[in-house]
Amino acid sequence: MITYLRNVSPSVLDGTALLRLDFNTKDDWRMRAVIPTVKFLLDAGVTIVVVSHRGRPSGGSLVNGVPTGFPSDLHLRKDAAKLSALIGRRVAFIDHFRFPEIKERVAASPHGSVFLLDNLRFMPGEERNDPKFARQLASLADFYVNDAFAVSHRANASVVAVTDLLPSYGGLELQDEIEGLSRAIMAPVHPVVLILGGAKASDKLGVVRRFRSRADTFLLGGGSANSILALRGIDVKESLRETDPKVLAALKPLARNPKVVLPADLVWGRGKDAGKILDLGPRTQKLFAARIAAARTIVWSGPLGFIERAPYANASIAVARAIGRNKKAFSLTGGGETVMFLKKYGLDKGFSFISTGGGAMLDFLAGEKLPGIVALGKQRMRPRTKKRNARSVA
Ligand code: 3PG
């Protein structure tokens, strides 16, 4: 069973928290989602060492513990400034991985200090789930909090191995994710509408399988629709679609499924985009809106068109608006691209729940066991009894 931070008395939380967050987005919406957790910990008077990753760095190395030669946009210095602005308190950025030195600095700081380490994926042990690297991280803190749902599908050292070494808790946002996403799969109220778009259908196969009996309607756009149209013998020309025979074989049952509503009209690109389906037309938008209006549970993953360009964002906007109008349904979505799009058009407020996860959300909805969540549930370390030392409060 996961021990959630929300259910723990602040009097149990003592010393320093190692707080795993996920800052892996172009804007700061994932950071904003976890501010209540940071504040919760600060209210309890603890010191926080925040850790996160960004991107999939390669090519650099460590020189005297300092990450060197990695792309500059993968460092987290700017995130320290952003986090500091959001919590109204100094966040000290640590630009090296010399753990004994970091440990000393954290131990010497006043209660309530906040530190941010640089991108954990600069360290080879992170993605290998290396117990040695986990020990180095654990040496900095008295307990661990995972509020990084979006990376909880990765067996990384700061997500999994570290839970063997410290009393571990699920953060406020992680709890909301588990409860929100479970609502769509445990006993969803019917009619259930699953909307699938995005470039690839292959990453949604697990969700399709899980919802085969749960969903009443599948609305398809983007690469998912193109692949099914192609499987039904329609010429989609140069449009994005799956070509891997294994993926196509897995998609075949969906192509035959009578619950699937395919686009009725398509918007094709022009000029250098000729021959590519880039959005769904007005008849399809109406058709989809009608199904959405009747739904009581709506799950949406992946844009329905090439939303990076405004003329091809119409179907996604129409669907988001239809979801916002249906006040009776429980509606959820997630994934970096979709969420940034919804925020850009001010349409995010119309959803009951927005997941910070992309791959993690899809894995959870597909019923897969997320290593980070399994690890939190298994951990057996008990918190130590509160014993304040003489450090002053920041
Ligand atoms: C995400 O953005 O989905 C998470 O941060 C995980 O990133 P990853 O796919 O590079 O592991």
Side-chain angles (χ1 to χ4, degrees):
M1 266 238 313
I2 299 177
T3 309
Y4 290 114
L5 207 54
R6 202 175 261 132
N7 305 333
V8 173
S9 152
S11 62
V12 173
L13 304 172
D14 189 27
T16 300
L18 180 72
L19 175 60
R20 180 49 159 114
L21 301 178
D22 185 329
F23 297 158
N24 192 23
T25 43
K26 286 194 196 110
D27 60 6
D28 60 4
W29 64 273
R30 271 190 188 159
M31 189 186 280
R32 285 178 186 275
V34 295
I35 295 305
T37 300
V38 178
K39 292 201 165 147
F40 184 97
L41 290 169
L42 290 175
D43 287 347
V46 302
T47 292
I48 309 175
V49 177
V50 178
V51 288
S52 175
H53 73 284
R54 165 157 308 128
R56 296 174 181 172
S58 63
S61 61
L62 291 187
V63 179
N64 188 24
V66 179
T68 310
F70 292 102
S72 58
D73 59 339
L74 296 187
H75 288 272
L76 300 186
R77 186 180 288 280
K78 284 190 184 143
D79 299 78
K82 270 191 217 161
L83 183 59
S84 168
L86 289 173
I87 61 174
R89 188 183 285 231
R90 178 166 185 261
V91 176
F93 178 65
I94 299 183
D95 65 357
H96 62 84
F97 287 98
R98 295 189 296 270
F99 282 95
E101 214 177 289
I102 303 173
K103 190 177 170 185
E104 250 177 58
R105 185 166 163 196
V106 172
S109 66
H111 289 301
S113 301
V114 184
F115 297 89
L116 172 65
L117 265 53
D118 208 343
N119 190 343
L120 291 180
R121 288 190 181 170
F122 292 154
M123 299 295 285
E126 167 65 357
E127 289 187 86
R128 279 194 226 131
N129 197 23
D130 178 7
K132 196 169 151 230
F133 181 51
R135 269 199 297 280
Q136 290 177 311
L137 290 172
S139 73
L140 306 177
D142 300 291
F143 64 96
Y144 166 77
V145 179
N146 178 347
D147 214 23
F149 174 78
V151 73
S152 294
H153 59 320
R154 304 286 185 221
N156 290 174
S158 66
V159 177
V160 174
V162 72
T163 63
D164 288 333
L165 306 166
L166 291 172
S168 300
Y169 303 101
L172 274 51
E173 209 284 320
L174 185 117
Q175 183 178 0
D176 290 346
E177 292 276 1
I178 293 176
E179 291 173 1
L181 297 177
S182 299
R183 197 169 153 187
I185 40 179
M186 298 317 276
V189 183
H190 290 269
V192 176
V193 171
L194 183 64
I195 309 164
L196 297 176
K200 290 191 280 174
S202 54
D203 54 7
K204 300 182 185 75
L205 288 172
V207 179
V208 168
R209 260 191 295 270
R210 190 99 195 276
F211 276 79
R212 195 173 293 156
S213 56
R214 283 179 174 82
D216 301 286
T217 304
F218 292 85
L219 304 178
L220 301 189
S224 306
N226 300 345
S227 303
I228 300 295
L229 287 170
L231 277 171
R232 288 194 181 177
I234 294 158
D235 184 7
V236 297
K237 299 184 185 163
E238 308 304 313
S239 308
L240 267 181
R241 68 168 187 282
E242 298 292 347
T243 49
D244 179 338
K246 273 196 203 141
V247 177
L248 290 175
L251 281 173
K252 270 194 181 144
L254 190 63
R256 288 192 295 262
N257 191 327
K259 296 175 181 176
V260 170
V261 180
L262 279 169
D265 51 349
L266 301 162
V267 176
W268 293 85
R270 294 207 197 124
K272 69 174 175 46
D273 289 323
K276 290 182 188 158
I277 301 167
L278 296 183
D279 201 9
L280 310 178
R283 275 198 292 133
T284 309
Q285 292 169 30
K286 267 200 186 153
L287 195 69
F288 283 13
R291 298 299 185 112
I292 290 166
R296 288 297 169 267
T297 305
I298 305 162
V299 177
W300 181 16
S301 171
L304 302 176
F306 187 31
I307 53 169
E308 291 85 341
R309 293 215 219 125
Y312 305 118
N314 290 334
S316 301
I317 292 174
V319 156
R321 286 201 178 125
I323 292 172
R325 283 194 298 272
N326 184 343
K327 306 281 181 234
K328 290 191 185 144
F330 172 74
S331 54
L332 83 81
T333 189
E337 212 192 342
T338 309
V339 179
M340 277 202 287
F341 160 78
L342 291 173
K343 288 194 180 285
K344 178 173 160 195
Y345 288 92
L347 295 165
D348 53 314
K349 301 278 180 296
F351 285 75
S352 316
F353 184 72
I354 294 199
S355 174
T356 55
M361 176 186 83
L362 289 173
D363 284 1
F364 192 98
L365 290 175
E368 285 170 32
K369 302 229 174 299
L370 275 57
I373 290 175
V374 172
L376 273 184
K378 268 198 208 149
Q379 73 98 30
R380 281 176 223 98
M381 304 245 341
R382 288 286 134 235
R384 289 189 237 138
T385 15
K386 199 155 185 155
K387 206 166 17 78
R388 281 261 180 247
N389 63 24
R391 286 188 279 155
S392 60
V393 176

